[in-house]
Amino acid sequence: MNKGAGSGPTAAAAAAAAQKQKTLMQRVETDIASIVDNFSQLVNVARVNDPPVRNSQESFMMEMRASRMVQAADSLLKLVSELKQTAIFSGFASLNDHVEQRTNEFNQQAEKTDRMLARIGEEAAASLKELEAHYYSSGHRTTQNSQQ
Amino acid sequence: MTRPKALPNEVLSDLSVSAATKLQCYRHLGIYFKQSAKSLEQQIAKEARFYGALIRLQQNWKVKRQRVAAPASGNEGFTIDLFDNSLYDSAPVSRPSSLSTIRIDHDSAGMLAINLPPNSCRSFRFGFLGVQSGDSSKQCSKVKNSCSPRPSKEAKESVNDDECVREKHSLLREVHQAIFYEQVFDIVNREAFKQSLGVNVTGIRENYLQLGIGLGISIFLSLIPSNQGDLSVDSWVNQNVESGILPLDSHDGVKLAEEKDDILRKSGGYPNPLTYEIYLQQVFHEYLYGRAKNKPISTGTRVSGPPTKDGSGLLGHFCLSLAHRIFSNKVHVELENAVCGVPYLHLVSHPTWHSRTSSWTVFLKVPQSILHAESNSRTAETAKSHFRTNVVVNDDCIHVEGEGTPNVVGLFKGRSEDMSSMNKYDCDLADLPVIILQQVASQVIRWLHEEALMVGIKANRDFLSLSFELDQGETVSLVAHVDPEDMRGCISWWLVMEDGFAAERKLSIDISDDASDYKKFLGHLSLDVLYSTLMDLVSLCGGGSH
């Protein structure tokens, strides 16, 4: 998706996005409700009862509630991962802006490098000309010729 | 029968047991929650590191998500796509490289990891066949081994996530570069077998191509695996040469090439292969990415774009450029030798910024002492202070353009004075020194002729001689002799005297006889001495013969 493709997401994409958002919100609510509910039950079962047989039952229930809490927390963690993935693969506007910015930077750097190379070439040509003139006018060359 | 009523101490005992049991359960739950919290925190931190790195990589690379049916724990199925689809669509590249898709994994620390198979990255090498290149081994050491799989220990050794992400950027950059090298090699292979000017395939094997580019020069292009980066290129090349290159022509061609290039190798006339390796990559880079993005191929002052007029193609253009560079080095050597043999000559190089054109000017400068002496007698505008001879090499054609030489057609018509101001002609390398020296000698003759005319003495000018008429029909001539092999000086001068009956004896004059009555060897004279000699001859002409 880029800026030039159209005025915005299509109606179907918008509906799908809304449905997905609703689903995610439901999952969040479900998980948080599960955590709260199970924690409440854990707190409620803290009461010490008279019949000892209920202790085993309550012990098992406490383990189950704790597992459910951890499971809900893990589910929330996975939801956060999904949200991060959605952000990575949906944030095209900012990504495109960043890519354009980097492209412009690299183009400017390329132009700057080209100008620098052209300048280096010109300076090298000027230096070569000067060095040749100095060499052929120098006493060193005159001495070499006289030695021949 | 009912259960007897418990005593208060029994009730309290039961309650205490229940409370202790429940307390123990809650303690176990607390430990469980702590362990779970620690585990979840670690997982959150791992995912934060992973996705943070992934987001940073996404700023520069194309990250794709793989749709897996049953994603395993910790495996989100991400890949990085390094292939440019626009290249594939416009068909300069036949197929995507195997390295185009890079899988993203987790390392033991939960950080983003990129593992490549060994020998997957290859670097591009270019060189001259049979020429030891000192830079090649340095280049090989530059080939990094980061494309080989890293042990997981390295992930732990990274100081922080920033460095880890930078390493991944570098690794992806190297893979991207390896893909580009493969594309270049692929295109070179395809173009080599097309009809292309200046390119003959003389050897081929996997990831190795040997080309003859004319002038008896052979080059090789190869893809070297990264794990062989510690070996010198030459040993790897020799390994390929010995172990089964399939030459398309006989080995004699390669031998002949080596024999012909002995002198040039010894004189260092081969350019640095690294420069042409870069040039080859630059040419194909502009072709691949400039064409894909509909950008005009750069024809700036430094780079000449691939020519289309002669149909040589990219590889042909590159090989012609390389052949031209080697040939122009030879031309430069010849010009320098010629100029070094004549003290009053200067050689000026003219950078053309064109890969297949080179240009020099041989300057003949009149000494300042003579110019100052002349400035009293006439205006400065009439005094010519220098003569030029331009040498331009296009590909392997030498074009010489000189001023002050007599028109050859005029010579045949007996009127050597009728000349064009600039003579233009082509020559080959073997004749270049002689032609340049003859050009220079004729320019000196012209200068002397003008000087003689300035003082009012009539003189006859031939190609390499200047004649003065004396009384009684005698003629005294100043004759130039050129010899590029003469170590004492390439241009020497003779004084030749002729009477009216010496024309038939002219052909029998032995040039090596210095003691002839009709000619005298003056030596390798400077312009000052020549000018003085001219003045003496002028005075001789004016005062009569002796």
Side-chain angles (χ1 to χ4, degrees):
Chain A
M1 282 197 285
N2 53 42
K3 293 180 183 173
S7 58
T10 60
Q19 181 63 32
K20 185 169 184 185
Q21 184 181 6
K22 187 177 176 184
T23 306
L24 289 173
M25 290 299 294
Q26 282 177 352
R27 282 175 59 185
V28 169
E29 288 175 5
T30 303
D31 289 333
I32 292 178
S34 171
I35 291 173
V36 171
D37 180 56
N38 287 296
F39 186 75
S40 302
Q41 294 295 325
L42 275 177
V43 171
N44 288 336
V45 91
R47 186 182 216 174
V48 179
N49 295 305
D50 291 333
V53 68
R54 292 190 65 184
N55 288 337
S56 298
Q57 179 186 356
E58 287 172 350
S59 172
F60 179 75
M61 186 181 69
M62 287 158 65
E63 289 179 4
M64 184 268 296
R65 297 284 183 190
S67 295
R68 280 189 177 178
M69 284 179 63
V70 172
Q71 185 184 11
D74 189 61
S75 174
L76 279 175
L77 186 61
K78 285 185 168 53
L79 188 142
V80 169
S81 297
E82 284 186 28
L83 285 174
K84 286 182 180 176
Q85 291 182 29
T86 304
I88 288 173
F89 294 101
S90 300
F92 292 118
S94 62
L95 196 61
N96 288 339
D97 288 343
H98 177 81
V99 168
E100 280 183 21
Q101 181 189 355
R102 291 288 279 174
T103 302
N104 290 335
E105 285 175 10
F106 287 135
N107 285 336
Q108 286 173 5
Q109 195 171 1
E111 287 171 8
K112 182 182 171 186
T113 305
D114 283 344
R115 284 195 297 269
M116 189 193 318
L117 285 173
R119 193 181 75 245
I120 289 173
E122 289 167 2
E123 289 178 4
S127 298
L128 176 64
K129 190 173 181 180
E130 192 177 341
L131 286 169
E132 281 177 339
H134 279 295
Y135 170 71
Y136 288 108
S137 307
S138 67
H140 174 70
R141 188 198 175 206
T142 307
T143 308
Q144 277 184 332
N145 286 325
S146 63
Q147 285 174 355
Q148 289 178 1
Chain B
M1 186 174 184
T2 60
R3 184 181 171 191
K5 188 176 178 183
L7 297 173
N9 60 335
E10 290 176 349
V11 170
L12 286 173
S13 175
D14 288 341
L15 276 175
S16 65
V17 168
S18 297
T21 306
K22 194 156 281 187
L23 180 62
Q24 189 65 23
C25 286
Y26 273 104
R27 281 180 179 159
H28 286 149
L29 281 182
I31 293 171
Y32 173 66
F33 279 138
K34 280 183 184 175
Q35 289 174 346
S36 299
K38 187 178 178 184
S39 173
L40 286 173
E41 281 174 2
Q42 287 176 353
Q43 196 170 348
I44 288 170
K46 282 184 182 179
E47 291 206 351
R49 294 180 71 200
F50 178 82
Y51 285 111
L54 193 63
I55 289 171
R56 289 176 65 178
L57 284 182
Q58 195 192 28
Q59 301 295 316
N60 294 310
W61 306 100
K62 196 191 306 178
V63 178
K64 289 186 174 178
R65 177 168 48 183
Q66 283 183 334
R67 304 290 178 184
V68 293
S73 170
N75 181 6
E76 289 80 11
F78 296 109
T79 58
I80 292 180
D81 186 4
L82 294 176
F83 189 72
D84 190 341
N85 292 329
S86 58
L87 296 178
Y88 189 63
D89 292 338
S90 59
V93 179
S94 59
R95 62 185 183 279
S97 166
S98 59
L99 293 172
S100 298
T101 302
I102 306 291
R103 183 180 172 80
I104 296 176
D105 295 322
H106 289 265
D107 63 5
S108 58
M111 188 53 185
L112 185 147
I114 297 173
N115 293 319
L116 294 171
N119 301 331
S120 55
C121 289
R122 289 175 293 197
S123 57
F124 188 81
R125 284 298 171 263
F126 164 83
F128 297 99
L129 197 66
V131 174
Q132 294 287 337
S133 174
D135 290 337
S136 299
S137 56
K138 293 178 190 173
Q139 274 301 107
C140 279
S141 64
K142 189 186 154 190
V143 173
K144 299 172 188 172
N145 286 326
S146 56
C147 288
S148 55
R150 293 174 178 270
S152 61
K153 206 180 284 185
E154 288 201 39
K156 298 177 185 175
E157 292 174 356
S158 295
V159 176
N160 51 37
D161 294 346
D162 287 338
E163 285 190 9
C164 192
V165 172
R166 274 191 226 111
E167 286 175 12
K168 299 300 178 289
H169 275 302
S170 299
L171 180 61
L172 289 172
R173 182 68 190 98
E174 287 169 17
V175 174
H176 198 217
Q177 206 167 28
I179 292 173
F180 171 69
Y181 292 149
E182 287 183 6
Q183 290 170 351
V184 169
F185 192 75
D186 184 48
I187 295 176
V188 165
N189 266 288
R190 282 191 278 135
E191 286 214 358
F193 288 97
K194 291 180 186 176
Q195 289 293 328
S196 183
L197 296 176
V199 180
N200 292 312
V201 180
T202 57
I204 185 169
R205 66 171 294 171
E206 185 181 6
N207 296 327
Y208 182 88
L209 186 66
Q210 187 176 314
L211 301 173
I213 62 172
L215 303 175
I217 302 166
S218 294
I219 62 173
F220 70 87
L221 299 105
S222 63
L223 289 178
I224 299 180
S226 59
N227 67 341
Q228 292 191 7
D230 291 337
L231 300 176
S232 68
V233 170
D234 294 318
S235 63
W236 191 87
V237 168
N238 290 335
Q239 179 185 348
N240 277 284
V241 170
E242 293 166 0
S243 61
I245 287 191
L246 306 175
L248 298 186
D249 56 359
S250 66
H251 283 287
D252 292 339
V254 176
K255 266 190 195 171
L256 186 60
E258 292 180 357
E259 287 168 1
K260 282 183 179 177
D261 288 329
D262 275 347
I263 294 176
L264 197 56
R265 262 186 241 125
K266 287 174 186 172
S267 66
Y270 280 86
N272 188 339
L274 179 60
T275 60
Y276 275 86
E277 182 180 313
I278 294 170
Y279 180 49
L280 180 66
Q281 294 173 25
Q282 192 265 339
V283 166
F284 280 95
H285 186 273
E286 288 203 0
Y287 169 68
L288 284 172
Y289 295 100
R291 171 181 167 174
K293 290 171 175 54
N294 295 323
K295 287 179 185 174
I297 296 175
S298 168
T299 53
T301 55
R302 293 176 298 104
V303 176
S304 62
T308 54
K309 293 178 185 175
D310 59 2
S312 58
L314 285 177
L315 182 63
H317 167 71
F318 169 77
C319 292
L320 287 173
S321 299
L322 181 59
H324 166 78
R325 177 54 49 207
I326 295 173
F327 183 75
S328 68
N329 286 344
K330 295 179 183 177
V331 170
H332 193 208
V333 167
E334 296 294 340
L335 288 175
E336 276 190 339
N337 290 337
V339 169
C340 284
V342 183
Y344 43 84
L345 286 184
H346 291 202
L347 180 65
V348 178
S349 302
H350 301 290
T352 60
W353 308 120
H354 191 283
S355 59
R356 289 162 59 178
T357 303
S358 301
S359 174
W360 299 268
T361 298
V362 178
F363 267 98
L364 169 69
K365 283 194 173 181
V366 177
Q368 289 294 320
S369 55
I370 300 174
L371 290 175
H372 288 319
E374 292 170 349
S375 62
N376 296 327
S377 58
R378 60 175 185 270
T379 59
E381 287 85 11
T382 58
K384 197 164 175 61
S385 62
H386 63 269
F387 296 87
R388 292 182 295 118
T389 302
N390 296 327
V391 179
V392 177
V393 179
N394 290 308
D395 286 331
D396 58 352
C397 299
I398 303 175
H399 180 77
V400 179
E401 189 176 301
E403 59 180 352
T405 55
N407 192 320
V408 175
V409 175
L411 282 174
F412 287 118
K413 291 183 179 177
R415 293 178 292 138
S416 59
E417 293 83 3
D418 294 337
M419 60 170 195
S420 60
S421 58
M422 295 291 283
N423 258 5
K424 307 175 185 179
Y425 43 89
D426 295 340
C427 70
D428 56 13
L429 185 63
D431 296 332
L432 180 65
V434 172
I435 286 177
I436 293 295
L437 292 171
Q438 284 180 348
Q439 186 87 18
V440 169
S442 68
Q443 288 169 352
V444 173
I445 293 292
R446 177 193 171 186
W447 169 63
L448 292 174
H449 182 238
E450 288 179 353
E451 296 296 326
L453 292 178
M454 284 296 171
V455 296
I457 297 296
K458 185 176 178 297
N460 297 321
R461 184 163 76 97
D462 206 334
F463 185 44
L464 291 179
S465 68
L466 186 65
S467 304
F468 300 90
E469 285 185 6
L470 303 178
D471 296 337
Q472 295 142 18
E474 290 178 335
T475 305
V476 60
S477 302
L478 199 59
V479 179
H481 172 67
V482 300
D483 182 5
E485 306 299 327
D486 189 348
M487 299 303 294
R488 295 171 296 174
C490 296
I491 300 177
S492 56
W493 297 90
W494 291 78
L495 191 67
V496 177
M497 282 207 57
E498 296 172 350
D499 55 20
F501 307 101
E504 64 270 15
R505 291 200 293 271
K506 191 184 284 186
L507 293 176
S508 64
I509 290 178
D510 184 359
I511 198 73
S512 62
D513 184 4
D514 294 343
S516 166
D517 291 337
Y518 297 96
K519 62 182 181 67
K520 182 167 181 61
F521 180 66
L522 300 179
H524 306 85
L525 305 179
S526 65
L527 292 183
D528 290 308
V529 175
L530 275 172
Y531 184 76
S532 302
T533 306
L534 174 71
M535 291 299 115
D536 292 340
L537 290 174
V538 163
S539 62
L540 187 65
C541 293
S545 63
H546 61 87

